[in-house]
Every structure is written in structure tokens, then in C-alpha cells.
Amino acid sequence: DVKVTQSSRYLVKRTGEKVFLECVQDMDHENMFWYRQDPGLGLRLIYFSYDVKMKEKGDIPEGYSVSREKKERFSLILESASTNQTSMYLCASSLGRTRAFFGQGTRLTVV
Amino acid sequence: KNEVEQSPQNLTAQEGEFITINCSYSVGISALHWLQQHPGGGIVSLFMLSSGKKKHGRLIATINIQEKHSSLHITASHPRDSAVYICACFPPNTDKLIFGTGTRLQVFP
């Protein structure tokens, strides 16, 4: 089965720090996604990548950037972390409009 | 108004009860996911369907494309079914899912 692995389950960072969240998938999926999940708001798309070096802004890209240098790896970067970026971050991958596979999530706290 | 609406938002049940979670969507779709998220965060895809009905163990998912509605049923519910259930849709011409806000289910022994 497909495995999507996020580098950390829990992370605590200070305001202003640069934060990297890493996601790796092992099934050669073309699509990779970063979402954040907040109570009452559900999953919101931050960025989407449909191929190496290709990216598309999602619904809430402000304060974030992404990198996809290799097909299996999709990184989310918080350039200067702020307390309103405290959230659960979920990575997912898919092959076209087929079943999506999710990572286990990273709970980020910015203090 | 969200393009994907789920009801109820919260649901409690006694072990053994039959459970239904509903999803309505306002956009045209090519397929719909039902996802399960246990405490701790990881999300698992339960079903992906574009027509009719699918069954896996005690879980059944149905979709009515004309009525823009899908249901997830759990028969003989068990405490281990306690989780958040999320409906997500693929609109045509995009690989990006649109999510409902989820239904939190708690099943008590």
C-alpha cells in the first residue's frame, strides 16, 4: 500500500523561526498536497504540486512556500513562523483523480 | 455556504447502533471520497465512489449523483469506530479535493 510519511508528528517552534515540514511518498504519485486543519474549518489546501518543480497556490498560501525538487518529496516552508500558523498540517498524494493517501499529520505549535 | 456540507456535525451512539452520516454537495463532481480520521491525526481513505454503492465490512457508502448526495452507513457500530468522518469531492477538471468539515462520531460501550 502507498505510504506517505511526514517528518515529524509534533513540532514546537518559536515565532519568527523558519520551519520546514517534509513529506515523502513511495508510490510515484504525480500529485502532492499540503493542507492545514483547524477546528471548525476542516481541511484547507495550502499548496498543490502536480509534478517536479510545479506548484499551484491553494486557498490559503499566505505565509507559506513549497519546494518539490524530487517527485517523492514535497516540502512546506514557513518563512517566518507566527502564532496563527499553529495547526495540524497534513500532506497527501494521489495519482490524478484517484484515491488520495494522507500522512499521519504534523501538529505544529508556534510559541 | 460550503460547497460540501456534512450532517450531523457531531454524533453519539451506543455500541451496536446503525449510524448514518450524510454529505451534500453543490458542485458537479467526478468522484467522492469518504475519509476517516482517528484522534492523533492520520487520515485514511475508506471509499472512493462515483456511482451506486460500495461495501467494506460494516461500512457502506452510497451516492446519488442526480441528487448530489452521499451517505456513509456503519452497521453494528463499535467504540473503535469513534473518529471524524470526512466527505471530500473531486470537481471536474481538477485533481484538488473539496472537503466537508467532518462529522465527529463517538460510540459508547
Side-chain angles (χ1 to χ4, degrees), chain B residues 64-89:
Chain B
N64 184 318
I65 295 290
Q66 287 74 30
E67 294 187 5
K68 296 188 174 178
H69 182 268
S70 176
S71 294
L72 177 68
H73 305 286
I74 305 175
T75 61
S77 60
H78 190 275
R80 65 174 174 266
D81 297 325
S82 298
V84 175
Y85 292 85
I86 302 168
C87 168
C89 301

mmCIF file of all heavy atoms in Angstrom, chain B residues 64-89:
data_model
loop_
_atom_site.group_PDB
_atom_site.id
_atom_site.type_symbol
_atom_site.label_atom_id
_atom_site.label_comp_id
_atom_site.label_asym_id
_atom_site.label_seq_id
_atom_site.Cartn_x
_atom_site.Cartn_y
_atom_site.Cartn_z
ATOM 1 N N ASN B 64 -25.830 9.366 -4.783
ATOM 2 C CA ASN B 64 -26.868 9.652 -5.774
ATOM 3 C C ASN B 64 -26.419 10.913 -6.510
ATOM 4 O O ASN B 64 -26.506 12.018 -5.975
ATOM 5 C CB ASN B 64 -28.220 9.862 -5.091
ATOM 6 C CG ASN B 64 -29.344 10.059 -6.090
ATOM 7 O OD1 ASN B 64 -29.185 10.762 -7.088
ATOM 8 N ND2 ASN B 64 -30.482 9.444 -5.826
ATOM 9 N N ILE B 65 -25.903 10.717 -7.709
ATOM 10 C CA ILE B 65 -25.303 11.837 -8.458
ATOM 11 C C ILE B 65 -26.372 12.888 -8.799
ATOM 12 O O ILE B 65 -26.114 14.093 -8.710
ATOM 13 C CB ILE B 65 -24.626 11.316 -9.735
ATOM 14 C CG1 ILE B 65 -23.449 10.411 -9.388
ATOM 15 C CG2 ILE B 65 -24.184 12.460 -10.628
ATOM 16 C CD1 ILE B 65 -22.263 11.120 -8.777
ATOM 17 N N GLN B 66 -27.564 12.438 -9.163
ATOM 18 C CA GLN B 66 -28.625 13.389 -9.551
ATOM 19 C C GLN B 66 -29.019 14.283 -8.386
ATOM 20 O O GLN B 66 -29.238 15.478 -8.546
ATOM 21 C CB GLN B 66 -29.863 12.645 -10.062
ATOM 22 C CG GLN B 66 -29.718 12.007 -11.442
ATOM 23 C CD GLN B 66 -28.851 10.771 -11.422
ATOM 24 O OE1 GLN B 66 -28.785 10.053 -10.414
ATOM 25 N NE2 GLN B 66 -28.183 10.505 -12.529
ATOM 26 N N GLU B 67 -29.089 13.684 -7.194
ATOM 27 C CA GLU B 67 -29.479 14.455 -6.007
ATOM 28 C C GLU B 67 -28.286 15.114 -5.323
ATOM 29 O O GLU B 67 -28.454 15.814 -4.328
ATOM 30 C CB GLU B 67 -30.224 13.546 -5.027
ATOM 31 C CG GLU B 67 -31.558 13.073 -5.563
ATOM 32 C CD GLU B 67 -32.368 12.320 -4.524
ATOM 33 O OE1 GLU B 67 -31.930 12.237 -3.356
ATOM 34 O OE2 GLU B 67 -33.431 11.796 -4.903
ATOM 35 N N LYS B 68 -27.078 14.844 -5.803
ATOM 36 C CA LYS B 68 -25.849 15.419 -5.223
ATOM 37 C C LYS B 68 -25.777 15.097 -3.737
ATOM 38 O O LYS B 68 -25.600 15.991 -2.884
ATOM 39 C CB LYS B 68 -25.774 16.926 -5.482
ATOM 40 C CG LYS B 68 -25.673 17.260 -6.955
ATOM 41 C CD LYS B 68 -25.413 18.737 -7.205
ATOM 42 C CE LYS B 68 -25.184 18.968 -8.696
ATOM 43 N NZ LYS B 68 -24.975 20.389 -9.009
ATOM 44 N N HIS B 69 -25.857 13.828 -3.425
ATOM 45 C CA HIS B 69 -25.906 13.402 -2.041
ATOM 46 C C HIS B 69 -25.222 12.049 -1.885
ATOM 47 O O HIS B 69 -25.351 11.178 -2.744
ATOM 48 C CB HIS B 69 -27.374 13.293 -1.590
ATOM 49 C CG HIS B 69 -27.527 12.912 -0.169
ATOM 50 N ND1 HIS B 69 -27.648 11.603 0.254
ATOM 51 C CD2 HIS B 69 -27.553 13.668 0.961
ATOM 52 C CE1 HIS B 69 -27.746 11.575 1.574
ATOM 53 N NE2 HIS B 69 -27.689 12.803 2.018
ATOM 54 N N SER B 70 -24.498 11.910 -0.777
ATOM 55 C CA SER B 70 -23.877 10.633 -0.453
ATOM 56 C C SER B 70 -24.100 10.345 1.027
ATOM 57 O O SER B 70 -24.229 11.268 1.835
ATOM 58 C CB SER B 70 -22.376 10.680 -0.748
ATOM 59 O OG SER B 70 -21.729 9.495 -0.352
ATOM 60 N N SER B 71 -24.162 9.087 1.361
ATOM 61 C CA SER B 71 -24.283 8.677 2.754
ATOM 62 C C SER B 71 -23.249 7.628 3.088
ATOM 63 O O SER B 71 -22.890 6.800 2.236
ATOM 64 C CB SER B 71 -25.676 8.097 3.041
ATOM 65 O OG SER B 71 -26.670 9.076 2.924
ATOM 66 N N LEU B 72 -22.785 7.680 4.332
ATOM 67 C CA LEU B 72 -21.915 6.643 4.881
ATOM 68 C C LEU B 72 -22.681 5.982 6.021
ATOM 69 O O LEU B 72 -23.157 6.661 6.931
ATOM 70 C CB LEU B 72 -20.610 7.246 5.402
ATOM 71 C CG LEU B 72 -19.640 6.268 6.072
ATOM 72 C CD1 LEU B 72 -19.068 5.303 5.044
ATOM 73 C CD2 LEU B 72 -18.512 7.031 6.768
ATOM 74 N N HIS B 73 -22.829 4.673 5.932
ATOM 75 C CA HIS B 73 -23.541 3.923 6.960
ATOM 76 C C HIS B 73 -22.553 3.020 7.681
ATOM 77 O O HIS B 73 -21.660 2.422 7.054
ATOM 78 C CB HIS B 73 -24.636 3.048 6.342
ATOM 79 C CG HIS B 73 -25.607 3.800 5.487
ATOM 80 N ND1 HIS B 73 -26.581 4.620 6.008
ATOM 81 C CD2 HIS B 73 -25.741 3.852 4.133
ATOM 82 C CE1 HIS B 73 -27.284 5.145 5.026
ATOM 83 N NE2 HIS B 73 -26.799 4.700 3.874
ATOM 84 N N ILE B 74 -22.734 2.911 8.985
ATOM 85 C CA ILE B 74 -21.961 1.959 9.780
ATOM 86 C C ILE B 74 -22.967 1.046 10.476
ATOM 87 O O ILE B 74 -23.826 1.509 11.242
ATOM 88 C CB ILE B 74 -21.085 2.655 10.840
ATOM 89 C CG1 ILE B 74 -20.181 3.695 10.188
ATOM 90 C CG2 ILE B 74 -20.246 1.616 11.604
ATOM 91 C CD1 ILE B 74 -19.357 4.525 11.172
ATOM 92 N N THR B 75 -22.874 -0.237 10.180
ATOM 93 C CA THR B 75 -23.767 -1.192 10.839
ATOM 94 C C THR B 75 -23.078 -1.750 12.076
ATOM 95 O O THR B 75 -21.840 -1.837 12.124
ATOM 96 C CB THR B 75 -24.144 -2.344 9.900
ATOM 97 O OG1 THR B 75 -22.924 -3.028 9.529
ATOM 98 C CG2 THR B 75 -24.802 -1.835 8.625
ATOM 99 N N ALA B 76 -23.866 -2.079 13.087
ATOM 100 C CA ALA B 76 -23.341 -2.661 14.333
ATOM 101 C C ALA B 76 -22.137 -1.871 14.837
ATOM 102 O O ALA B 76 -21.029 -2.408 14.974
ATOM 103 C CB ALA B 76 -22.977 -4.126 14.112
ATOM 104 N N SER B 77 -22.354 -0.594 15.120
ATOM 105 C CA SER B 77 -21.242 0.293 15.483
ATOM 106 C C SER B 77 -20.506 -0.208 16.729
ATOM 107 O O SER B 77 -21.063 -0.892 17.600
ATOM 108 C CB SER B 77 -21.756 1.708 15.707
ATOM 109 O OG SER B 77 -22.710 1.717 16.747
ATOM 110 N N HIS B 78 -19.230 0.174 16.776
ATOM 111 C CA HIS B 78 -18.331 -0.275 17.836
ATOM 112 C C HIS B 78 -17.537 0.928 18.316
ATOM 113 O O HIS B 78 -17.269 1.846 17.531
ATOM 114 C CB HIS B 78 -17.406 -1.355 17.253
ATOM 115 C CG HIS B 78 -16.605 -2.053 18.275
ATOM 116 N ND1 HIS B 78 -15.397 -1.566 18.744
ATOM 117 C CD2 HIS B 78 -16.816 -3.222 18.935
ATOM 118 C CE1 HIS B 78 -14.918 -2.391 19.654
ATOM 119 N NE2 HIS B 78 -15.756 -3.404 19.777
ATOM 120 N N PRO B 79 -17.109 0.943 19.588
ATOM 121 C CA PRO B 79 -16.307 2.081 20.062
ATOM 122 C C PRO B 79 -15.092 2.399 19.188
ATOM 123 O O PRO B 79 -14.685 3.551 19.070
ATOM 124 C CB PRO B 79 -15.895 1.651 21.473
ATOM 125 C CG PRO B 79 -17.040 0.826 21.943
ATOM 126 C CD PRO B 79 -17.500 0.072 20.711
ATOM 127 N N ARG B 80 -14.517 1.379 18.550
ATOM 128 C CA ARG B 80 -13.340 1.670 17.704
ATOM 129 C C ARG B 80 -13.719 2.430 16.429
ATOM 130 O O ARG B 80 -12.848 2.899 15.705
ATOM 131 C CB ARG B 80 -12.609 0.387 17.337
ATOM 132 C CG ARG B 80 -13.375 -0.572 16.474
ATOM 133 C CD ARG B 80 -12.524 -1.761 16.033
ATOM 134 N NE ARG B 80 -13.327 -2.745 15.310
ATOM 135 C CZ ARG B 80 -13.893 -3.809 15.892
ATOM 136 N NH1 ARG B 80 -13.725 -4.025 17.193
ATOM 137 N NH2 ARG B 80 -14.619 -4.644 15.183
ATOM 138 N N ASP B 81 -15.027 2.566 16.138
ATOM 139 C CA ASP B 81 -15.469 3.395 15.016
ATOM 140 C C ASP B 81 -15.437 4.878 15.363
ATOM 141 O O ASP B 81 -15.643 5.733 14.496
ATOM 142 C CB ASP B 81 -16.896 3.031 14.596
ATOM 143 C CG ASP B 81 -17.011 1.598 14.098
ATOM 144 O OD1 ASP B 81 -16.056 1.104 13.458
ATOM 145 O OD2 ASP B 81 -18.060 0.965 14.363
ATOM 146 N N SER B 82 -15.201 5.212 16.619
ATOM 147 C CA SER B 82 -15.150 6.612 17.040
ATOM 148 C C SER B 82 -14.022 7.315 16.299
ATOM 149 O O SER B 82 -12.856 6.913 16.364
ATOM 150 C CB SER B 82 -14.926 6.708 18.553
ATOM 151 O OG SER B 82 -16.002 6.107 19.249
ATOM 152 N N ALA B 83 -14.394 8.357 15.575
ATOM 153 C CA ALA B 83 -13.445 9.057 14.711
ATOM 154 C C ALA B 83 -14.179 10.244 14.091
ATOM 155 O O ALA B 83 -15.374 10.426 14.298
ATOM 156 C CB ALA B 83 -12.935 8.131 13.605
ATOM 157 N N VAL B 84 -13.434 11.026 13.325
ATOM 158 C CA VAL B 84 -14.045 12.057 12.487
ATOM 159 C C VAL B 84 -14.145 11.495 11.071
ATOM 160 O O VAL B 84 -13.159 10.961 10.538
ATOM 161 C CB VAL B 84 -13.224 13.362 12.483
ATOM 162 C CG1 VAL B 84 -13.828 14.374 11.510
ATOM 163 C CG2 VAL B 84 -13.166 13.948 13.894
ATOM 164 N N TYR B 85 -15.324 11.612 10.485
ATOM 165 C CA TYR B 85 -15.559 11.130 9.126
ATOM 166 C C TYR B 85 -15.723 12.343 8.213
ATOM 167 O O TYR B 85 -16.504 13.247 8.498
ATOM 168 C CB TYR B 85 -16.796 10.218 9.082
ATOM 169 C CG TYR B 85 -16.541 8.930 9.824
ATOM 170 C CD1 TYR B 85 -16.728 8.859 11.203
ATOM 171 C CD2 TYR B 85 -16.063 7.803 9.166
ATOM 172 C CE1 TYR B 85 -16.452 7.690 11.911
ATOM 173 C CE2 TYR B 85 -15.789 6.634 9.857
ATOM 174 C CZ TYR B 85 -15.978 6.590 11.229
ATOM 175 O OH TYR B 85 -15.692 5.436 11.911
ATOM 176 N N ILE B 86 -14.972 12.336 7.130
ATOM 177 C CA ILE B 86 -14.896 13.495 6.251
ATOM 178 C C ILE B 86 -15.288 13.089 4.844
ATOM 179 O O ILE B 86 -14.800 12.076 4.314
ATOM 180 C CB ILE B 86 -13.462 14.073 6.233
ATOM 181 C CG1 ILE B 86 -13.012 14.463 7.652
ATOM 182 C CG2 ILE B 86 -13.375 15.280 5.302
ATOM 183 C CD1 ILE B 86 -11.521 14.762 7.759
ATOM 184 N N CYS B 87 -16.144 13.880 4.255
ATOM 185 C CA CYS B 87 -16.553 13.704 2.863
ATOM 186 C C CYS B 87 -15.730 14.671 2.015
ATOM 187 O O CYS B 87 -15.515 15.827 2.413
ATOM 188 C CB CYS B 87 -18.043 14.023 2.794
ATOM 189 S SG CYS B 87 -18.735 14.211 1.172
ATOM 190 N N ALA B 88 -15.233 14.219 0.873
ATOM 191 C CA ALA B 88 -14.432 15.082 0.005
ATOM 192 C C ALA B 88 -14.766 14.767 -1.446
ATOM 193 O O ALA B 88 -14.918 13.596 -1.811
ATOM 194 C CB ALA B 88 -12.943 14.861 0.266
ATOM 195 N N CYS B 89 -14.848 15.815 -2.259
ATOM 196 C CA CYS B 89 -15.296 15.653 -3.642
ATOM 197 C C CYS B 89 -14.245 16.138 -4.629
ATOM 198 O O CYS B 89 -13.560 17.133 -4.371
ATOM 199 C CB CYS B 89 -16.560 16.485 -3.889
ATOM 200 S SG CYS B 89 -17.928 16.058 -2.830
#
